[in-house]
Amino acid sequence: MEWLSLAVLGLLIVISPGADFVLVLKNSVNQGRQAGIWTAIGVSLAICVHISYSMLGISYLISQNEQLFDMIRYAGAAYLIYLGLKGILSADNKLAPIEGAKQSTSVWRYLAQGFLCNVLNPKTMLFFLSIFSQVISPDAQNQHIALGYGLYMIVLHGLWFGIVAMLFTSSTLQKHLLRAKKRLNQACGFGLVTFGALLAIKS
């Protein structure tokens, strides 16, 4: 597969709306820009895990073990549903400025949320398995190229979700988001629950 095609494919995968996007958006709107950026960093760190086991060939073994794959799938689904329900139940109409929102929890919590949301997603695992099966040759002579592509994906995730966090906490959008904060929170919550449910029921 041509490297330009791989680069474009990676970009499309990253910017397409998914559970990671919804989580970064929810944390940014609820807790401010810093929370969104730390969530984005957590997502990027999770990509390191996917790259590591893809290059080691562990992802192939997992994909061939139905029980182990189901355990990962259900764990990911449960975590997404938990985050979604929490967002729905905690949604409110308060019009406190986003940047002035009280940071009631440690940044490590947002880091962990982003990390777990991505690392427990078997779709991401299978994506990296399919991509690295094209990048890594059987004779293992191009490991450095595969590593370079992995670093590209890490940076791409961090940049994109960092932009999402900054965009949705900007002063331009802030006044409009505040008016619909409860509905936006509920929409994000329903989105996470939906992603989790679909992940759980998909065979």
Side-chain angles (χ1 to χ4, degrees), residues 15-164:
I15 66 176
S16 60
D20 294 333
F21 179 87
V22 174
L23 181 61
V24 172
L25 175 61
K26 181 178 75 70
N27 285 349
S28 298
V29 172
N30 288 333
Q31 301 296 334
R33 180 172 297 176
Q34 184 181 14
I37 291 177
W38 277 104
T39 306
I41 294 174
V43 172
S44 293
L45 291 177
I47 301 301
C48 298
V49 177
H50 293 302
I51 292 170
S52 297
Y53 64 62
S54 293
M55 294 188 67
L56 293 173
I58 297 177
S59 56
Y60 175 79
L61 298 178
I62 294 176
S63 67
Q64 298 302 307
N65 188 319
E66 185 175 353
Q67 291 182 340
L68 182 56
F69 179 79
D70 284 341
M71 288 177 59
I72 296 174
R73 179 163 63 92
Y74 289 128
Y79 186 69
L80 292 179
I81 292 173
Y82 162 75
L83 290 177
L85 291 175
K86 184 177 180 181
I88 294 172
L89 296 176
S90 63
D92 59 57
N93 283 315
K94 294 180 180 180
L95 297 180
I98 294 176
E99 286 298 331
K102 182 179 180 181
Q103 300 292 331
S104 57
T105 55
S106 168
V107 294
W108 292 105
R109 178 173 184 176
Y110 305 117
L111 187 72
Q113 285 184 356
F115 180 84
L116 291 175
C117 182
N118 185 277
V119 80
L120 291 176
N121 190 341
K123 291 183 179 180
T124 306
M125 178 196 73
L126 293 177
F127 166 74
F128 278 97
L129 171 62
S130 61
I131 289 296
F132 276 84
S133 66
Q134 301 292 328
V135 175
I136 301 176
S137 61
D139 56 9
Q141 294 296 317
N142 60 344
Q143 293 289 331
H144 63 287
I145 299 178
L147 181 59
Y149 184 76
L151 293 175
Y152 163 75
M153 292 299 294
I154 293 172
V155 173
L156 197 60
H157 277 79
L159 286 177
W160 169 247
F161 290 115
I163 290 173
V164 170

